[in-house]
Amino acid sequence: MNDGSLEIRDVTVQFGGLTALDGVSLAARPRQITGIIGPNGAGKTTLLNTACGFVKPQSGMVSFDGQVLTGLRTHRLAALGIARTLQGVGLFPGLTVAENVMIGATPSAKAGVWSALFGLPRSDRDERRLREQAMAALERLGVADQANELPGTLSYGLRKRVALARALAARPRLVLLDEPASGLPENELPELGDLIRDMAAEAGVVVIEHRMDLVMSVCDTIFVLDFGKLIAHGSPAEVQADPAVTAAYLGADGEPGPPAEGEPGPTAEGEPGPAAGGPANLAPDAPADGQADA
Amino acid sequence: MQEFLEFTLGGIATGMIYAAIALSLVLIWRGTRILNYSQGGMAMFTTYVAWLVIQHTGSYWAGFAVALAAGLVLGSVLEFAVVRPTENKAPLNAVIVTIGLLILLEGLAGIIYGGQYRSFPAAFSIKGLKAGSVGLGISPNDVFTAAAVLGAAVILALVFRYTSVGLRLRATAFAPAVARLLGVRIGRVLTLGWALAGLFGALAGVLVTSSTFLYPNSMDSIFVLGFTAAVIGGLDSPVGAVVGGIVLGVVLSYAGGYLGSNLVLVYGLAALVLVLMIRPTGLFSSGVTRRV
């Protein structure tokens, strides 16, 4: 569909002998917030990685706005209008907050290498436009005052905001949020919810999240994964009432797993140092998760 | 006292050569985590190109300009054609590739230009400058050498700091995978890093060879000292590379001047070992350890 929808159709992903995703289909509409939930190892991150072309599925198809994403080269994502945040924060440690966000705004920069090297006017204009774009995004997320500070000096919550600002700087049409609430204290969740709703004013939002209170309060549609299979989908109320979902979260054998607020806590998520989003971070983590769960 | 002044100024001038080599190593290390062992060979090769141009045109500056251009081209071509295929392979592959490149470049230079020592002209007079009756231990050419490297380093710093290309270079150095996700074409950025490294290597080659000789191995010892300077500076920091070059140049100048000049390379290696033992991350690195 050419309306800015993300379409995932019948996607199966296998790592070695392990099936991380098994015939999963879902659609995320523009200006809607689509949640993907499921116990640890259910395949959520693999689904997100498949959605943005990092993982090539064995079968099935992913498309955005009518364009096939399967096997896409990563740097093309931004140009297609897709922004993805990383678990943790993934900011560049040695760049100021403003510079971090300017990188997010670069896909539209036109000045080439040579004009920049020789200081041609176009490069200068680009630079100024990038900075303006970045400042606008920082203001929108309320972190403009920290523009010239290094990410390491900010609180975790503020860094998360900067990471969101960076995702929004290029004015994406689809935002993929990988556990945006991880590591945030309870009292910052309502604000995060507002920010996500604000994003959905102009883009489709797909969010993977453990924090059920956040998911239930912001999502329009929720898809529930368990062991790589889609077990339920619908509105928050429908999903909450679905016995299959309760079973998946509580464990069919009555294992007292963490129900709704199954939050591993800030330490479990941690802040992945400077290598955040290094290859390991983007790598499909489903096999490890899956085995841990199995 | 006069000796001390001469050794200091002379050391700074030589140190700027080490700084240029160190900068070229840092540019590649930051972007790719590859230590480019062929940097000296690349610089030697572009200096031969300059020599050839000077032979034909009689113009030093034509040779100078062509060498810098050749450095840019050689750097980008090597990155694209030889180093790129080692991406995502074991780090040792890239190391072996750059050592192989060094052997290849030195062999090619020997085949094309022969192994004899050739003299290479200086841009300016190499007669010692005097302040009144006091010799300063440096020549106008030394001043030019220092100014050229410093000027190039300042331009590089401005590009890094104030342009979107520089921003992409820095971001890629910190987290390539994240930069790629944000739409940065990492491949191009890495090619640019190698091109700039080739440029700084070429600059060092042209500047240093006027005070040595040109032959296929002529840059080997300069490379080792440039590497030492880069390590002193922390391998990660362009500012550190320049400061490391100056520090090393001055220290070696004192050592050569007061202890005898036959062992300068040995002193350089001793300095390298010392830095690696005492402060392996260098004096200017951010101190952040990375997963390699």
Side-chain angles (χ1 to χ4, degrees), chain B residues 42-287:
Chain B
M42 289 162 64
M44 171 276 300
F45 208 85
T46 51
T47 309
Y48 265 111
V49 173
W51 175 80
L52 206 63
V53 170
I54 295 172
Q55 292 294 305
H56 278 83
T57 63
S59 160
Y60 175 86
W61 295 110
F64 186 84
V66 170
L68 297 192
L72 278 173
V73 173
L74 186 63
S76 32
V77 168
L78 288 183
E79 192 281 330
F80 191 75
V82 185
V83 178
R84 184 78 59 92
T86 68
E87 207 185 358
N88 303 326
K89 306 240 166 65
L92 191 60
N93 293 20
V95 171
I96 292 170
V97 162
T98 66
I99 292 175
L101 267 180
L102 173 67
I103 297 169
L104 178 74
L105 287 169
E106 293 189 344
L108 276 178
I111 292 169
I112 301 172
Y113 304 104
Q116 63 267 52
Y117 285 36
R118 299 175 193 277
S119 64
F120 189 88
F124 294 96
S125 161
I126 52 169
K127 270 214 275 220
L129 281 172
K130 280 184 193 279
S133 61
V134 184
L136 295 177
I138 51 166
S139 65
N141 195 56
D142 290 331
V143 174
F144 166 69
T145 297
V149 175
L150 208 59
V154 167
I155 292 172
L156 183 71
L158 293 176
V159 167
F160 263 52
R161 179 69 189 76
Y162 291 109
T163 70
S164 56
V165 169
L167 188 59
R168 275 176 266 167
L169 276 163
R170 284 186 291 150
T172 304
F174 283 117
V178 179
R180 182 177 278 144
L181 189 59
L182 294 167
V184 177
R185 304 197 63 171
I186 303 293
R188 288 187 183 182
V189 171
L190 297 185
T191 306
L192 176 66
W194 273 74
L196 290 174
L199 178 85
F200 274 91
L203 183 65
V206 171
L207 292 174
V208 76
T209 308
S210 63
S211 58
T212 59
F213 284 100
L214 181 58
Y215 54 99
N217 295 91
S218 60
M219 291 299 288
D220 286 0
S221 59
I222 307 292
F223 168 78
V224 171
L225 295 173
F227 172 61
T228 307
V231 171
I232 292 174
L235 261 183
D236 234 350
S237 152
V239 176
V242 174
V243 176
I246 294 174
V247 167
L248 184 69
V250 171
V251 167
L252 291 188
S253 176
Y254 293 153
Y258 293 116
L259 304 175
S261 58
N262 291 336
L263 294 174
V264 168
L265 189 56
V266 175
Y267 301 144
L269 291 173
L272 175 61
V273 171
L274 212 62
V275 170
L276 288 177
M277 274 166 49
I278 297 168
R279 200 175 151 79
T281 53
L283 305 179
F284 289 84
S285 74
S286 42

Side-chain angles (χ1 to χ4, degrees), chain A residues 5 12 19 21 36 65 67 112 123 132 159 180 200 204 240 258 278 283:
Chain A
S5 288
T12 296
T19 303
L21 292 177
I36 300 173
D65 200 24
Q67 188 150 4
S123 171
E132 279 162 16
R159 272 181 281 162
Q240 268 171 316

Side-chain angles (χ1 to χ4, degrees), chain A residues 195-268:
Chain A
L195 290 173
I196 294 175
R197 267 187 289 265
D198 180 44
M199 282 179 202
E202 45 195 67
V205 178
V206 175
V207 52
I208 291 184
E209 190 47 70
H210 281 297
R211 309 277 277 260
M212 285 308 145
D213 37 357
L214 179 71
V215 173
M216 294 302 165
S217 68
V218 302
C219 291
D220 299 300
T221 313
I222 295 175
F223 291 83
V224 187
L225 281 175
D226 191 28
F227 289 109
K229 283 202 173 82
L230 207 56
I231 57 167
H233 70 98
S235 70
E238 286 166 353
V239 164
Q240 268 171 316
D242 194 318
V245 177
T246 322
Y249 269 90
L250 294 174
D253 54 8
E255 178 203 334
E261 263 92 30
E263 162 56 32
T267 45

Side-chain angles (χ1 to χ4, degrees), chain A residues 14-279:
Chain A
Q14 287 168 321
F15 300 109
L18 186 107
T19 303
L21 292 177
D22 188 0
V24 173
S25 298
L26 66 82
R29 306 284 170 218
R31 287 174 295 284
Q32 294 264 306
I33 303 172
T34 307
I36 300 173
I37 63 171
N40 281 330
K44 301 186 295 293
T45 298
T46 305
L47 187 60
L48 205 60
N49 283 340
T50 313
C52 60
F54 291 166
V55 172
K56 199 170 162 39
Q58 268 71 25
S59 65
M61 206 264 298
V62 181
S63 70
F64 171 65
D65 200 24
Q67 188 150 4
V68 176
L69 301 184
T70 334
L72 190 79
R73 292 176 63 196
T74 310
H75 73 258
R76 298 258 304 119
L77 273 185
L80 286 175
I82 303 175
R84 190 205 149 143
T85 67
L86 301 162
Q87 278 183 34
V89 178
L91 295 175
F92 303 106
L95 270 53
T96 66
V97 163
E99 286 172 337
N100 262 284
V101 179
M102 285 166 72
I103 285 281
T106 41
S108 42
K110 286 296 178 301
V113 164
W114 299 109
S115 60
L117 282 184
F118 297 109
L120 297 183
R122 189 161 78 160
S123 171
D124 190 44
R125 271 207 308 278
D126 260 1
E127 165 78 13
R128 224 170 328 135
R129 196 171 46 77
L130 284 181
R131 190 165 284 277
E132 279 162 16
Q133 239 175 305
M135 288 311 295
L138 285 170
E139 248 153 53
R140 192 167 156 196
L141 285 147
V143 275
D145 290 344
Q146 284 78 20
N148 294 317
E149 289 170 38
L150 290 175
T153 65
L154 304 182
S155 72
Y156 191 72
L158 286 180
R159 272 181 281 162
K160 281 250 164 196
R161 280 169 180 264
V162 175
L164 288 177
R166 186 172 67 178
L168 295 184
R171 306 205 144 270
R173 291 188 298 151
L174 175 67
V175 187
L176 308 173
L177 300 173
D178 196 348
E179 302 199 7
S182 72
L184 286 183
E186 206 62 42
N187 59 11
E188 289 187 30
L189 289 190
E191 246 178 303
L192 177 65
D194 292 342
L195 290 173
I196 294 175
R197 267 187 289 265
D198 180 44
M199 282 179 202
E202 45 195 67
V205 178
V206 175
V207 52
I208 291 184
E209 190 47 70
H210 281 297
R211 309 277 277 260
M212 285 308 145
D213 37 357
L214 179 71
V215 173
M216 294 302 165
S217 68
V218 302
C219 291
D220 299 300
T221 313
I222 295 175
F223 291 83
V224 187
L225 281 175
D226 191 28
F227 289 109
K229 283 202 173 82
L230 207 56
I231 57 167
H233 70 98
S235 70
E238 286 166 353
V239 164
Q240 268 171 316
D242 194 318
V245 177
T246 322
Y249 269 90
L250 294 174
D253 54 8
E255 178 203 334
E261 263 92 30
E263 162 56 32
T267 45
E269 218 48 66
E271 155 75 66

